[in-house]
Amino acid sequence: MKINLVEKSEKISSEVEIIFVKDLENLTNDKEVLEILDFKAKDESCVLLAESKKIYVGFEDNSYECIAIATATAIKKLQTTNFKSAKIELNEVLEENFKALVEGAALGQYKFVDYKSEKDKKKIELDIIVDEKTKKLESILNESKIIAKAVNKARNMVNTAPADFYPEVMAKMAQEIAKDVEIKCEIHGESYLEKHKMMAMHSVGRASIHESKLIHLTYKPKNPKFKIVLVGKGLTYDSGGLSLKPADFMVTMKADKSGGCAVLSTMWAIAKLELPFEVHGIVGAVENMIGGNAYKPDDILTAKNGKTIEVRNTDAEGRLVLADCLCYAQDEIKDIDYIFDYATLTGACVVGVGEYTTGIMGNNEVLKRNAVASALKAGEYATSLDFNRFLKKTIKSEIADVCNVANTRYGGAITAGMFLDNFIYDENKNKWIHFDIAGPAYVEKAWGYNAHGASGAGVRTTIGFLKDLLED
């Protein structure tokens, strides 16, 4: 999709005009027709008047979410027609929410059609009409297009079938991203994991025919303000291992790589935006399968930091991969200012806060609140989940340092986060946040400006958090 900023004095050839409606009573044109069609000025309400070549779209308030959803709704309506271009005249409300307008359009037009025999090849062009182009508007336009493209990159990776996207492919994708934005990329295989005693991650991928890969991207500008580490769970497919998932629960497990895909796409966006931070992106790309060499319930694994883990469920594998990746990050990168991990870690988080919300955990209450605020500001739902001493006892093991699952079915998202805390070094305890994106990462129905499938959860939150650091 091409989005242009066009001054009123320039020649405009758009076929359709998109008109935003918050109050039907204030309309001067087409009011009677819209009333006959029972059009409501509500989120996701939209009507096309083909003869007058107008798309009316409702919105309820002047928030990022409402404007983004309205724009996406109008673009989706446009996609159902033979029209190929549209215009939006920027008014005061839309100018105040220009970021939402651009991102809503770019995210709303997304379709994953790689496996369709007949692909929709129609390209849409959107002209945003302004009295005068300003540096501020041009800056927001360029930035938002990069962010939306990064989200769509993550969506494409997550939506790709597991037969076509396994650890080696994920590593190759990381190399392509690094080449595109000229950042450093290191790929390590299973011999590296063994040599450096990363046996938690190594064990998870043991039964797969695809070799596990540890991916490390590095973006290092001159005079960086902070040093930030992003760690992603890259389970390219999760069968559950010997603790095999029920058939219905195995469907959608291609999305278990969402955290890793978010990290790769975010690294691309950070480099494209030339943000003044040194950022490391670390992904554990692994496939959790069954076979004669599979790791087993009752196994005792030793992580990179020397802690021993009692395995009581091989389907609690993402935390094992993250444990070693977090240790690797802290061993290889010194003087970290922030360390964030992203994972579709627990179904319990989806049960607790719903499909659309990220659960944010950690030891630093201020940092968690700031992360939630950045997420909401960037257009993603998020909430804080608190650790407590009583749940910590539930992951105690009688024969190892820690157990990979709790002895209670309650508070599963939090106990998983507390498991990861065992692999955060003391000096980094207050610098770390765990993002459980199990809910929003992949939803099997369209919602807001998200199509069926992957949403690219985590990308906008992270970019928003980093940009908010610049304002502090």
Side-chain angles (χ1 to χ4, degrees), residues 219-227 274-279 337 470:
Y219 167 70
K220 200 170 184 178
K222 292 181 179 178
N223 304 314
K225 295 181 180 295
F226 295 105
K227 190 181 292 185
E274 299 181 345
L275 295 181
F277 308 105
E278 177 181 333
V279 188
D337 291 296
L470 296 176

Side-chain angles (χ1 to χ4, degrees), residues 100-355:
L101 182 72
V102 176
E103 292 178 11
L107 297 175
Q109 61 83 36
Y110 175 84
K111 290 182 179 180
F112 185 72
V113 295
D114 287 18
Y115 296 106
K116 294 284 188 180
S117 56
E118 294 184 12
K119 296 176 172 55
D120 181 3
K121 296 181 180 180
K122 183 174 72 173
K123 293 184 178 179
I124 291 174
E125 190 162 350
L126 177 64
D127 293 328
I128 300 174
I129 314 302
V130 296
D131 292 324
E132 180 184 1
K133 294 178 186 177
T134 65
K135 287 184 178 180
K136 181 181 179 182
L137 287 175
E138 288 179 334
S139 176
I140 294 172
L141 175 63
N142 291 332
E143 177 187 292
S144 294
K145 286 199 292 188
I146 288 170
I147 292 170
K149 188 172 182 179
V151 171
N152 288 337
K153 278 180 177 290
R155 285 169 159 180
N156 282 337
M157 286 189 277
V158 174
N159 282 327
T160 302
D164 300 321
F165 202 104
Y166 39 89
E168 295 96 324
V169 176
M170 197 168 201
K172 184 179 179 181
M173 185 67 68
Q175 290 171 325
E176 290 174 359
I177 285 170
K179 185 178 180 181
D180 184 33
V181 291
E182 299 181 341
I183 61 177
K184 183 180 177 182
C185 180
E186 299 172 80
I187 307 294
H188 302 295
E190 291 177 355
S191 61
Y192 180 95
L193 300 181
E194 290 183 51
K195 181 179 178 180
H196 292 82
K197 300 180 180 179
M198 300 175 68
M199 299 311 294
M201 176 176 167
H202 181 277
S203 297
V204 173
R206 239 168 44 192
S208 174
I209 61 170
H210 299 295
E211 183 182 11
S212 299
K213 300 292 182 180
L214 176 64
I215 301 165
H216 184 172
L217 295 176
T218 304
Y219 167 70
K220 200 170 184 178
K222 292 181 179 178
N223 304 314
K225 295 181 180 295
F226 295 105
K227 190 181 292 185
I228 294 151
V229 177
L230 312 177
V231 178
K233 172 187 172 183
L235 263 292
T236 58
Y237 193 74
D238 177 23
S239 68
L242 292 179
S243 303
L244 194 66
K245 292 178 183 290
D248 289 349
F249 284 74
M250 220 179 290
V251 178
T252 75
M253 278 299 104
K254 64 181 181 180
D256 218 18
K257 59 184 179 285
S258 297
C261 295
V263 168
L264 296 184
S265 297
T266 301
M267 290 297 297
W268 179 86
I270 288 168
K272 276 287 186 183
L273 293 169
E274 299 181 345
L275 295 181
F277 308 105
E278 177 181 333
V279 188
H280 296 261
I282 294 158
V283 177
V286 182
E287 191 177 60
N288 184 25
M289 300 297 287
I290 59 174
N293 195 35
Y295 81 118
K296 310 167 186 68
D298 283 343
D299 277 350
I300 305 296
L301 310 180
T302 303
K304 193 175 190 298
N305 66 345
K307 286 204 172 185
T308 55
I309 304 164
E310 178 188 358
V311 177
R312 295 187 70 86
N313 189 321
T314 63
D315 195 23
E317 85 302 325
R319 64 200 70 181
L320 302 177
V321 174
L322 285 176
D324 271 341
C325 288
L326 288 166
C327 292
Y328 167 87
Q330 294 167 98
D331 289 339
E332 296 295 317
I333 306 156
K334 303 304 178 185
D335 302 317
I336 298 170
D337 291 296
Y338 297 99
I339 179 166
F340 300 154
D341 76 71
Y342 306 80
T344 47
L345 207 62
T346 65
C349 196
V350 189
V351 172
V353 300
E355 288 180 295

